[in-house]
Amino acid sequence: MAFLIFFLCIWISSTGYGITEQDLQRQKAVLADYETHSKMWQWGWTGVFVSSISLQGHQILNKNSTADEKFDAKIGLLTSSSGLLSMIVNPLPLAFTEDWYSLPEASEKEKDAKYLLGKKIFSDSYIELQRRHSFSFQMKLVAEQLVAASLIALLDKRPSDAGKRFLLGMITSELWIYTLPGAIYNSNDLNQRLQMRLSGSTLSLTLQF
């Protein structure tokens, strides 16, 4: 992040957007509207996956667990680990706004750099939300749950339990997507609120990149 900030400062030194305190306050207001939901989603689901992994691990190591319970726990461990990996590798940028708040804004160049960083946070968040709402991502979730259910049905010879596992897995996956801060992904309000003044003119910072 330090390298990014340094790069932004060097780049804007030759352009000079002339961002004002009012511009940054508007951007701060938009951040405040969406970052709480984003943080709740990011850390809430990370906690869900970590808890699930812990419970599945306990089930596997528990001597009193039946063979079927241990098998199901291994499947659950795989799917929960996949979810946790997704949260770590592709986090929602709006859940990590500390760098924006910590940036100074005393000089014109510092205001410009802070503004551009805020814009990048929003654009990156939009891209990530668009990816998670995409048809291909949905199909990956379906495929993952089909594989999990198939392992139970074919390897452990329990087709009825496999059906229940698939249904539960899909409900969880859809909740994962449904609870995303969708207002950022599908809201004219954000585009309207991001009408920022740049160099005496108004630039619409639509998130449809």
Side-chain angles (χ1 to χ4, degrees):
M1 183 56 70
F3 174 78
L4 171 62
I5 294 170
F6 174 77
F7 174 78
L8 288 175
C9 289
I10 295 298
W11 182 71
I12 63 177
S13 63
S14 60
T15 59
Y17 278 125
I19 299 300
T20 67
E21 183 65 29
Q22 187 179 20
D23 294 326
L24 289 176
Q25 288 302 316
R26 290 188 188 126
Q27 194 174 69
K28 182 179 181 180
V30 180
L31 279 171
D33 283 347
Y34 297 108
E35 66 177 342
T36 299
H37 188 168
S38 300
K39 288 178 184 293
M40 288 176 63
W41 183 85
Q42 178 71 36
W43 300 116
W45 278 103
T46 297
V48 168
F49 291 128
V50 169
S51 298
S52 177
I53 290 172
S54 299
L55 289 173
Q56 306 298 349
H58 175 74
Q59 186 83 302
I60 293 171
L61 298 176
N62 190 347
K63 295 180 180 180
N64 295 324
S65 299
T66 65
D68 288 346
E69 289 174 339
K70 289 186 176 182
F71 190 89
D72 289 347
K74 291 175 182 177
I75 298 298
L77 184 63
L78 290 175
T79 55
S80 294
S81 297
S82 174
L84 179 61
L85 184 63
S86 177
M87 302 298 291
I88 295 173
V89 175
N90 298 297
L92 194 57
L94 265 168
F96 302 91
T97 56
E98 292 79 8
D99 286 321
W100 187 90
Y101 286 104
S102 66
L103 278 182
E105 49 187 83
S107 68
E108 182 177 329
K109 290 180 180 179
E110 289 173 342
K111 285 185 175 69
D112 288 350
K114 188 166 187 173
Y115 177 85
L116 288 175
L117 179 59
K119 181 182 175 182
K120 185 177 188 304
I121 290 173
F122 274 113
S123 63
D124 289 349
S125 293
Y126 174 80
I127 292 170
E128 178 58 23
L129 287 165
Q130 189 178 46
R131 183 185 73 85
R132 289 183 182 273
H133 279 285
S134 67
F135 179 76
S136 61
F137 188 80
Q138 295 280 352
M139 288 300 97
K140 287 179 182 178
L141 295 179
V142 173
E144 182 178 279
Q145 298 305 326
L146 277 175
V147 170
S150 298
L151 291 174
I152 295 174
L154 300 177
L155 295 184
D156 213 35
K157 311 298 182 183
R158 290 182 292 129
S160 60
D161 288 342
K164 296 176 184 177
R165 176 63 181 77
F166 177 76
L167 181 61
L168 178 62
M170 285 309 305
I171 290 174
T172 303
S173 297
E174 289 306 311
L175 277 175
W176 187 31
I177 301 302
Y178 180 78
T179 54
L180 278 163
I184 303 173
Y185 172 75
N186 187 23
S187 174
N188 289 326
D189 174 66
L190 182 61
N191 288 336
Q192 292 170 1
R193 294 195 65 192
L194 285 176
Q195 299 290 327
M196 300 290 188
R197 184 179 66 79
L198 294 179
S199 301
S201 63
T202 300
L203 173 64
S204 176
L205 297 181
T206 176
L207 295 186
Q208 297 179 5
F209 294 101

